[in-house]
């Protein structure tokens, strides 16, 4: 009974632990989903506000339209800088500090946007006209700071890309130069020697008759064999650069056919020759 009680207690503890882990996992999943929903809602709300400010800046005149234009320019500059920095911080870790500075700058921009929103609802036009230049100057300072970081990040990315392209171009040129230093193909000297032999044989054929013709046939056969050896060193079967082998080469009859042709070229000696 004691062993059974211990087993039941262990089973209960394990079940309780599983339940606790499941509850914790559900809470974390719900929190992550809630954060994603909040971010999406914030993006949607910000997009709607940007569209509204753009419409107001085009349709309204006077201080109200100017306030909408200042707010829209402030948001556009900060959003553009944030997109550039967040997109490049994974490749360049030094942009993390600039992203942190942008966060602090965004906090000041949020405070300024709140003041501009309150000024937009101000019924006293005199106060609006008095406060607007100061708020516009602050917005220009924030916008200039954000644009300075964005332009610096873009120049940094372009410089790194240009340096990488320069190194890659030099490596390609070096590789191309190395590829042009090809070695002499084996058998080329044999081919030239056989060519000279065939030339001398053809020259002697004009003065010697049938015996010279047989020597020229032997020279031609030797040149053809040397050319086949040189061609075999250059062309391949599957690389698409070589020609297709003949039927004699496939059946192994290339040398017997050459010997038969050489034998037929020899002058016949017999009673009819005398």
């Amino acid at each position: 009974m004691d062993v059974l009680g211990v087993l039941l207690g262990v089973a209960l503890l394990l079940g309780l632990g599983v339940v606790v882990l499941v509850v914790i996992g559900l809470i974390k999943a719900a929190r992550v989903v809630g954060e994603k929903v909040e971010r999406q809602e914030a993006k949607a709300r910000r997009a709607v506000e940007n569209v509204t400010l753009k419409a107001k800046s085009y349709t309204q005149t006077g201080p109200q339209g100017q306030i909408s234009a200042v707010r829209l320019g402030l948001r556009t500059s900060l959003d553009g800088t944030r997109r550039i920095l967040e997109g490049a911080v994974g490749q360049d870790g030094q942009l993390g500090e600039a992203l942190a500075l942008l966060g602090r700058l965004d906090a000041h921009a949020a405070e300024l946007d709140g003041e501009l929103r309150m000024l937009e609802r101000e019924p006293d036009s005199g106060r609006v006209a008095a406060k607007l230049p100061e708020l516009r100057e602050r917005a220009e300072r924030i916008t200039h700071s954000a644009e300075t970081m964005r332009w610096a990040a873009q120049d940094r990315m372009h410089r790194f890309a240009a340096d990488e392209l320069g190194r890659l171009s030099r490596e390609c040129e070096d590789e191309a130069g190395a590829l042009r230093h090809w070695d002499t193909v084996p058998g080329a000297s044999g081919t030239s020697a056989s060519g000279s032999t065939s030339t001398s044989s053809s020259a002697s054929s004009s003065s010697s008759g049938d015996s010279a013709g047989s020597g020229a046939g032997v020279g031609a056969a030797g040149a053809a064999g040397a050319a086949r050896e040189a061609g075999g060193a250059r062309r391949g079967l599957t690389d698409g650069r070589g020609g297709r082998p003949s039927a004699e080469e496939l059946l192994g009859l290339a040398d017997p056919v050459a010997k038969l042709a050489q034998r037929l070229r020899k002058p016949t000696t017999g009673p009819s020759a005398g």
Side-chain angles (χ1 to χ4, degrees), residues 14-28:
L14 290 176
L16 182 61
V18 171
V19 171
V20 171
L21 291 177
V22 170
V23 171
I24 293 174
L26 291 175
I27 293 174
K28 289 184 178 180

Side-chain angles (χ1 to χ4, degrees), residues 2-224:
D2 294 338
V3 175
L4 184 59
V6 171
L7 292 177
L8 290 175
V10 172
L12 289 174
L13 290 176
L14 290 176
L16 182 61
V18 171
V19 171
V20 171
L21 291 177
V22 170
V23 171
I24 293 174
L26 291 175
I27 293 174
K28 289 184 178 180
R31 185 177 300 171
V32 171
V33 171
E35 292 177 355
K36 289 183 179 179
V37 171
E38 290 179 358
R39 284 197 297 267
Q40 294 298 327
E41 289 180 354
K43 289 181 180 180
R45 185 169 55 252
R46 191 173 185 86
V48 172
E49 291 178 355
N50 291 339
V51 173
T52 304
L53 290 174
K54 185 177 293 185
K56 288 181 179 180
S57 63
Y58 287 130
T59 57
Q60 293 181 350
T61 59
Q64 302 297 328
Q66 295 177 8
I67 292 174
S68 299
V70 171
R71 294 180 61 192
L72 181 62
L74 192 63
R75 290 166 178 253
T76 303
S77 178
L78 290 173
D79 290 340
T81 304
R82 183 174 296 279
R83 282 195 300 269
I84 293 296
L85 295 180
E86 289 180 351
V89 70
Q91 301 175 356
D92 190 356
Q94 293 187 2
L95 295 178
E97 185 176 355
L99 194 59
L101 290 175
L102 181 65
R104 295 170 56 187
L105 196 64
D106 198 1
H108 286 280
E111 295 178 359
L112 179 59
D113 187 74
E115 295 181 13
L116 288 170
R117 188 184 297 111
M118 288 188 297
L119 188 64
E120 194 175 16
R121 300 168 185 171
E122 177 64 38
D124 188 359
S125 59
R127 181 171 177 80
V128 172
K131 293 288 294 183
L132 184 57
E134 178 187 354
L135 298 180
R136 183 188 290 115
E137 192 269 337
R138 287 172 56 188
E140 290 176 354
R141 290 173 57 187
I142 295 175
T143 301
H144 177 70
S145 299
E147 289 177 348
T148 300
M149 287 193 296
R150 182 174 70 249
W151 295 336
Q154 291 174 349
D155 293 342
R156 183 180 178 87
M157 289 187 294
H158 293 165
R159 178 61 182 271
F160 285 169
D163 293 343
E164 180 65 23
L165 181 59
R167 288 193 296 269
L168 182 59
S169 300
R170 289 192 296 271
E171 291 177 2
C172 291
E173 292 176 358
D174 294 340
E175 183 65 21
L179 291 175
R180 288 192 179 94
H181 287 79
W182 50 76
D183 295 331
T184 303
V185 179
S189 59
T191 305
S192 61
S194 62
S196 61
T197 303
S198 62
T199 304
S200 61
S201 300
S202 62
S204 61
S205 63
S206 60
S207 61
S208 299
D210 296 336
S211 60
S214 64
V218 174

Side-chain angles (χ1 to χ4, degrees), residues 217-260:
V218 174
R228 283 197 301 272
E229 292 179 0
R234 293 290 299 277
R235 69 186 184 185
L237 181 62
T238 59
D239 57 1
R241 294 178 298 176
R244 295 182 179 178
S246 62
E248 292 83 357
E249 292 177 352
L250 291 175
L251 296 176
L253 299 177
D255 293 337
V257 171
K259 291 180 180 179
L260 180 59

